[in-house]
């Protein structure tokens, strides 16, 4: 019944102990196997503030059970009704969110290394149906995994059937408490468990097992497609990109991963993924806005996700020395005469050719640039030729006088200030990541 592969030698596992049949079963199992597993067992109990005195009764049962077995208990009382109302959640959603907050608090405080919940095969089958009925992605069809993606929450008896748990409780004569809300069918999951599944099983006795076999197949497919999506991602400067020509199943997963990396955890819908997919064959520079100020843009054969930032307006008189801008340190220094050669990505220019009153600033409408080697262009056109995305252009530091740009820092100098055999003072422009 117990998945031994989920445990690591020497770790501390806290059982999410509600006092109900399932969690008491898991608690007793871990106590009986702790020496074999070489783990320390503790417990966590959350009073959701929903059921008044009976909720307190259950927490007292858990407290007594832990004391009887000499097990440390991490207890928290929360205001589920108030939290759910304030965040627009159902009572079920609010309770789950608060439980997981407490679980993470217990881990972060050092009380335990991980938390074990008593989800079982029946819970997983219910979740598959719940997600399917309300509309879900293939990932939702998988139902519940045996561990969260970060590994902080594990579900060691996820493969156990309800009948096995009942038999274990009976065999070991374990006391437990019943949460009366588990029998109220106005809760969606209870409705599925108490009315939908029993009705289905009258016609299809093996329905629950069939649902789980289907979920396992979906999980295998999902793991493979997700691995391809993860390999497609490139992260740079806080942006996430992947090739625009990916097959749709991988594209959609890549887009989901990109959004999650930028903070869109649960606020996206299929329409957001479809809008990102619409960029696949769009012209370069076409973009769509997603939740939480995230933008997806077609970028020279790639789809790039980034957080929209405020427009940057920066300007200061040019001078020698160091200063910081947009997370980087810029250094302007005199390094020699006309015999100096350019090193790696450092730009060199004739210091005396820079006009008085030149400014270090971000771009402005009307800016022009005389390319090294000759030929003047609008700065915007130069950026387009260099395939510099629109969103990056405001982050590039310029040395300019009026509308005439002399240095595009980190990229190129104007032909007007190039070093020649008459140069007495060579100006070097270097850029360093700020630490």
């Amino acid at each position: 019944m117990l998945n031994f592969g989920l445990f690591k030698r020497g770790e501390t596992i806290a059982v999410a102990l509600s006092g109900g049949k399932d969690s008491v079963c898991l608690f007793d199992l871990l106590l009986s196997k702790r020496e074999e597993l070489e783990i320390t067992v503790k417990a966590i109990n959350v009073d959701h503030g929903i059921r008044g005195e009976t909720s307190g009764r259950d927490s007292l049962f858990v407290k007594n059970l832990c004391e009887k077995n000499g097990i440390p208990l991490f207890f928290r009382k929360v205001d589920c009704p108030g939290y759910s109302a304030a965040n627009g959640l159902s009572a079920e959603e609010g309770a789950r969110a608060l439980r997981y907050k407490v679980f993470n608090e217990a881990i972060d405080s050092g009380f335990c290394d991980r938390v074990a919940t008593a989800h079982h095969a029946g819970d997983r089958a219910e979740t598959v149906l719940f997600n399917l009925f309300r509309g879900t992605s293939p990932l939702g069809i998988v139902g519940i995994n045996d561990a969260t993606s970060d590994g902080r929450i594990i579900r060691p008896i996820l493969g156990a059937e309800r009948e096995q748990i009942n038999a274990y409780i009976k065999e070991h004569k374990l006391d437990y408490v019943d949460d009366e809300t588990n029998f109220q069918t106005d809760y969606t999951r209870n409705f599925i468990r108490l009315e939908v599944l029993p009705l289905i099983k009258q016609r299809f006795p093996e329905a629950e097992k069939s649902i789980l076999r289907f979920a396992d197949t979906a999980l295998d497919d999902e793991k493979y497609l997700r691995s391809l999506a993860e390999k497609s991602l490139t992260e740079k400067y806080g942006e996430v990109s992947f090739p625009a020509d990916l097959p749709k199943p991988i594209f959609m997963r890549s887009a989901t991963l990109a959004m999650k990396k930028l903070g869109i955890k649960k606020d996206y819908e299929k329409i957001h993924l479809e809008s990102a997919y619409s960029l696949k064959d769009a012209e370069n520079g076409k973009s769509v806005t997603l939740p939480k100020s995230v933008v997806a843009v077609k970028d020279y054969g790639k789809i790039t996700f980034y957080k929209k930032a405020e427009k940057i307006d920066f300007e200061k008189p040019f001078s020698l020395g160091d200063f910081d801008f947009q997370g980087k340190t810029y250094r302007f220094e005199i390094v020699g005469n006309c015999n100096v050669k350019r090193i790696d990505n450092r730009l060199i220019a004739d210091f005396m050719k820079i006009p008085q009153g030149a400014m270090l600033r971000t771009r402005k409408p009307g800016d022009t640039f005389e390319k090294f080697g000759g030929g003047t262009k609008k700065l915007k056109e130069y950026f387009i030729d260099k395939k510099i995305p629109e969103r990056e252009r405001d982050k590039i530091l310029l040395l300019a006088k009026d509308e005439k740009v002399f240095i595009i820092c980190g990229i190129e100098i104007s032909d007007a200030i190039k070093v020649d055999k008459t140069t007495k003072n060579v100006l070097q422009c270097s850029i360093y990541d700020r630490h």
Side-chain angles (χ1 to χ4, degrees), residues 8-34:
K8 300 174 184 176
R9 184 181 302 171
E11 69 180 348
T12 298
I13 300 294
V15 177
L17 187 56
S18 67
K21 187 184 295 183
D22 303 336
S23 67
V24 167
C25 173
L26 174 60
F27 182 65
D28 192 77
L29 269 170
L30 289 187
L31 288 181
S32 67
K33 300 292 184 181
R34 57 185 163 177

Side-chain angles (χ1 to χ4, degrees), residues 235-275:
E235 296 184 63
K236 188 176 181 181
Y237 304 131
E239 300 182 348
V240 187
S241 302
F242 55 84
D245 60 355
L246 292 175
K248 189 171 183 178
I250 303 173
F251 185 109
M252 301 297 255
R253 286 166 175 81
S254 299
T256 300
L257 290 171
M259 289 193 293
K260 287 184 176 180
K261 287 178 180 292
L262 292 172
I264 307 179
K265 305 288 187 184
K266 294 184 177 180
D267 300 321
Y268 66 91
E269 299 174 359
K270 191 171 188 294
I271 189 172
H272 297 128
L273 293 172
E274 290 291 351
S275 65

Side-chain angles (χ1 to χ4, degrees), residues 142-184:
V142 170
I144 306 171
N145 289 318
D146 57 12
T148 54
S149 58
D150 58 12
R152 288 162 72 95
I153 314 296
I154 59 173
R155 299 160 184 131
I157 57 171
L158 189 61
E161 296 179 9
R162 203 180 310 274
E163 292 75 16
Q164 289 177 279
I165 293 171
N166 290 340
Y168 184 93
I169 292 287
K170 184 177 181 180
E171 179 185 350
H172 293 84
K173 298 181 173 58
L174 300 178
D175 292 328
Y176 60 90
V177 291
D178 279 321
D179 179 345
E180 66 273 17
T181 62
N182 287 336
F183 304 98
Q184 297 173 4

Side-chain angles (χ1 to χ4, degrees), residues 60-78:
L60 180 60
F61 170 85
V62 169
K63 179 175 179 291
N64 292 335
L65 180 61
C66 289
E67 288 179 351
K68 176 184 175 183
N69 289 278
I71 298 299
L73 174 66
F74 189 95
F75 171 75
R76 289 289 182 271
K77 184 169 183 175
V78 297

